[in-house]
Every structure is written in structure tokens, then in C-alpha cells.
Amino acid sequence: MTKKALITGITGQDGSYLAELLLEKDYEVHGIVRRSSTFNTDRIEHIYRDPHDQNAKLFLHYGDLTDGQNITNLVLDLEPDEIYNLGAQSHVRVSFDSPQYTVQTTGVGALNLLEAARQLNKTKSTKVYQASSSEMFGDVVETPQTEKTPFHPQSPYACAKVYAYHQTVNYREAYDLFAVNGILFNHESPRRGETFVTRKITRAATRIKLGLQEKLHLGNLDAKRDWGYAKDYVEGMWLMLQHDKPEDFVLATGETQSIRKFLDYTFEYLDLDWSKFVEIDPRYFRPTEVNLLLGDCSKAKELLGWEAKTSCRELAELMVDHDLELARQEAAQQSLKEG
């Protein structure tokens, strides 16, 4: 029997990779998208078919995590076997500028989805994956961080994620709901939004290489992160819901690299010296900074058989390959206009 999955945040980086994975596993996939005057489905266009096509397995529905009734109606109508909550205002720096919106989407939105799942669970067994974040560890009290490391969040985004984490645990314990937290450390890809530091670096570096850009402005270059490849990480999400009991898991590479090192990997691959092009801009510093994140995924490796397959250098290079092609297309268009 075909399984049915519901994904919030399906148009984002993780949602698009997860949708691909589930379709490969012959799921019927439903995604929630926010209504907008412009299309925001670029990341899933290659897998989206006409919903009236008899072979279509991917369906999109308008909705918003902040609208609890809408979310409940969708969940009760669709009756999914698995729910993946990847939707959020996920930019840490932006959360300082829009704290209330961040808390509503990232924190209360998760609660809305859990409550909908609880109601569905009265008549049909369903499983819920909550996208938790390494940012919850914040000003870390131990290194590396595991499932037992205390949280010390350092941003409105991280605080909202902590709230969602504890609500997930609460619904699991109070209502016997199969609900899990995936505490994922930083994971990137060519589909990462261009305002996130890794993609900002690879986009700028490839444009600099082709003479389309002169400078790259960044904030704290000394911040260290455990960077993995998003395509590897969505497999871990799926594995958590296939596990025989609901448990929380850390997914990480177990290696940490500074932003300086990511600059090294990126610019070296393009035969450039980043120090000639990078300028520090105080606007990109956070009011409170998280200086070091390093995860220990031993539990996921032992119980799920999951581990990261892609190194930080390999990640940087595959992102550069993708963005270099974008830069070439941009250069060609510019040349046509000038010609």
C-alpha cells in the first residue's frame, strides 16, 4: 500500500530534497505552500506534474503554519502516514529583526501541526518529524553536542526552535504520538537560499571569477559550523520515522570548519585568493553570536545506520560547480545585452 506524506516547507532546500527521496520510495507526497503573487516553486518544478495526471504523485496545497484551523483541516482531510515539519522562518539573522513572526511560524506553527496530528491520531496512526536545529545549543556548554546536551539558545529563531522541540516531546509523552525531533547541524546545497552564508560565498565567488562582481561582504569569519550536505540529511529524517520507536536524533558530520575555511575551499577551487575580495561588514554581525557548533551523531549511526557522506570541501566544490554555471549564464545574457 502506498504511503502518504505531508511536507511543510516543501519549496525550501530540505523540502525539495525530501520530496525527491519520498517519490523515489513510491510515496504519495503532499506539500504545503504559502499563497504568493509570484511562483516560489523553483526547487520542485523538475518533479512537479499536472495534478490531474493519473501518474502524478506530488500534490501542493495552499496553507500557512500560523493558521491552525487551516493546518488541522489539511491534516484531517489528507490523513498522511507521515508528516515532516520543515516550514519556518529559518534565517537566524532575520529573526532578530522579525522576532514575533519568527516565533509564530517556527514555534507556534509547530504546535499547530502537532495538535492537528494529535486529532488525526485518534482515528489513524500518523508519525511526525519536527525539524529541530543545532542553533538550539547556542552558547554551548559542551563539545561535541549530543541529544543530551542542554540548550542555550542565542537568537529568537533558536528560542522558537527550543519551544517547538519541547512541544514535540510533550505531545509524544502526553498523547502517545509518534513524534520525533531531528536536531540537524548546518546542512547546505546548491539549493540553499542566497542569503545564507555558504551560498552567499559560492555565488559571489563564481561571479567574481567571471568579472560580474568585485567584492563579497561578510560578518564574523571566525564562527565555526558543522557543515553537511542537505541531500544526505533528508535521508536521516526519513529513517527517524522508520525507526521502531519515536526518539530524537542529532545529525551531523562530526567535523567543524570556520567561515574562513569555507572561503578557502571555495576560492581555492576557483584559483582565487579570497583575501583580495572579501570585506568585513558590521551589518552582518549578530547581536549574540554562536561561535562553535560541532555535532556527535553516534546515536543515529548506531540505531539508524545513518552518517554523513559528503565532506565540507566536497560540499563547497559541488556548490561552486552549480553556481559557476549560473554565473556563466548570467555573463552570456549580459554579453547579449551589451552586444
Side-chain angles (χ1 to χ4, degrees):
M1 184 176 177
T2 300
K3 281 188 176 182
K4 187 186 296 184
L6 175 64
I7 304 173
T8 70
I10 193 171
T11 59
Q13 169 188 255
D14 292 6
S16 65
Y17 282 120
L18 179 62
E20 285 178 347
L21 177 72
L22 296 179
L23 289 171
E24 288 170 4
K25 295 183 179 297
D26 203 33
Y27 277 64
E28 179 181 308
V29 178
H30 294 259
I32 297 178
V33 296
R34 283 174 295 179
R35 179 72 179 92
S36 173
S37 59
T38 57
F39 292 111
N40 61 348
T41 55
D42 293 353
R43 294 183 179 96
I44 56 172
E45 279 184 0
H46 65 292
I47 54 174
Y48 185 61
R49 309 171 67 153
D50 182 345
H52 301 295
D53 181 344
Q54 289 187 341
N55 296 316
K57 299 292 287 287
L58 174 61
F59 305 90
L60 301 181
H61 309 268
Y62 286 124
D64 193 305
L65 281 168
T66 63
D67 185 345
Q69 188 59 59
N70 165 259
I71 293 298
T72 296
N73 290 344
L74 278 171
V75 168
L76 294 181
D77 287 346
L78 295 172
E79 297 188 337
D81 300 285
E82 298 172 3
I83 300 172
Y84 296 85
N85 184 30
L86 312 183
Q89 189 302 99
S90 59
H91 198 287
V92 177
R93 181 62 189 84
V94 170
S95 76
F96 286 100
D97 300 323
S98 302
Q100 292 180 326
Y101 174 69
T102 299
V103 168
Q104 286 296 318
T105 56
T106 308
V108 178
L111 176 61
N112 289 337
L113 196 62
L114 286 163
E115 178 58 21
R118 182 186 72 83
Q119 293 189 39
L120 173 61
N121 212 45
K122 294 176 182 178
T123 56
K124 173 186 171 65
S125 179
T126 190
K127 298 180 178 181
V128 179
Y129 171 86
Q130 167 59 27
S132 290
S133 168
S134 60
E135 287 287 333
M136 300 187 304
F137 296 120
D139 188 9
V140 297
V141 299
E142 65 179 11
T143 298
Q145 295 87 53
T146 72
E147 292 82 4
K148 296 181 180 179
T149 301
F151 300 138
H152 190 171
Q154 296 285 287
S155 67
Y157 167 76
C159 290
K161 282 292 188 183
V162 169
Y163 174 86
Y165 171 93
H166 285 299
Q167 287 290 8
T168 301
V169 173
N170 181 49
Y171 269 69
R172 180 168 72 215
E173 296 177 348
Y175 304 115
D176 199 27
L177 180 67
F178 194 113
V180 305
N181 286 288
I183 308 172
L184 273 57
F185 280 66
N186 291 64
H187 45 288
E188 320 294 315
S189 75
R191 299 181 192 173
R192 189 56 143 153
E194 294 182 19
T195 59
F196 291 84
V197 67
T198 51
R199 188 77 195 289
K200 184 177 179 180
I201 289 171
T202 58
R203 279 292 279 144
T206 53
R207 296 186 81 250
I208 288 169
K209 180 69 175 180
L210 297 189
L212 298 168
Q213 184 171 329
E214 294 181 356
K215 295 291 182 181
L216 167 60
H217 295 88
L218 295 172
N220 180 14
L221 302 187
D222 296 318
K224 294 181 178 180
R225 295 291 184 271
D226 185 325
W227 275 308
Y229 182 26
K231 194 169 184 178
D232 294 343
Y233 284 55
V234 297
E235 183 179 5
M237 299 176 187
W238 176 76
L239 286 170
M240 289 180 210
L241 293 194
Q242 313 317 306
H243 191 45
D244 54 2
K245 63 178 182 177
E247 297 186 58
D248 304 323
F249 292 90
V250 163
L251 298 188
T253 68
E255 296 182 1
T256 188
Q257 309 286 355
S258 67
I259 292 174
R260 289 179 189 275
K261 181 55 71 173
F262 197 89
L263 283 166
D264 286 341
Y265 292 153
T266 300
F267 280 77
E268 283 174 7
Y269 192 52
L270 292 165
D271 294 318
L272 295 173
D273 178 358
W274 65 262
S275 65
K276 296 179 180 178
F277 306 100
V278 174
E279 293 185 358
I280 304 302
D281 190 329
R283 291 179 302 170
Y284 297 114
F285 282 83
R286 301 178 187 176
T288 50
E289 181 60 81
V290 175
N291 292 313
L292 170 64
L293 291 174
L294 174 62
D296 179 351
C297 68
S298 298
K299 181 180 176 183
K301 186 174 182 180
E302 178 184 352
L303 298 182
L304 303 179
W306 182 91
E307 60 184 328
K309 303 170 185 173
T310 310
S311 71
C312 187
R313 182 186 288 275
E314 291 169 336
L315 172 64
E317 292 177 357
L318 69 87
M319 290 174 68
V320 168
D321 287 339
H322 175 272
D323 287 342
L324 190 57
E325 180 57 33
L326 291 183
R328 286 177 179 140
Q329 293 173 13
E330 184 182 352
Q333 291 173 356
Q334 191 174 101
S335 179
L336 283 174
K337 289 179 181 178
E338 293 174 351

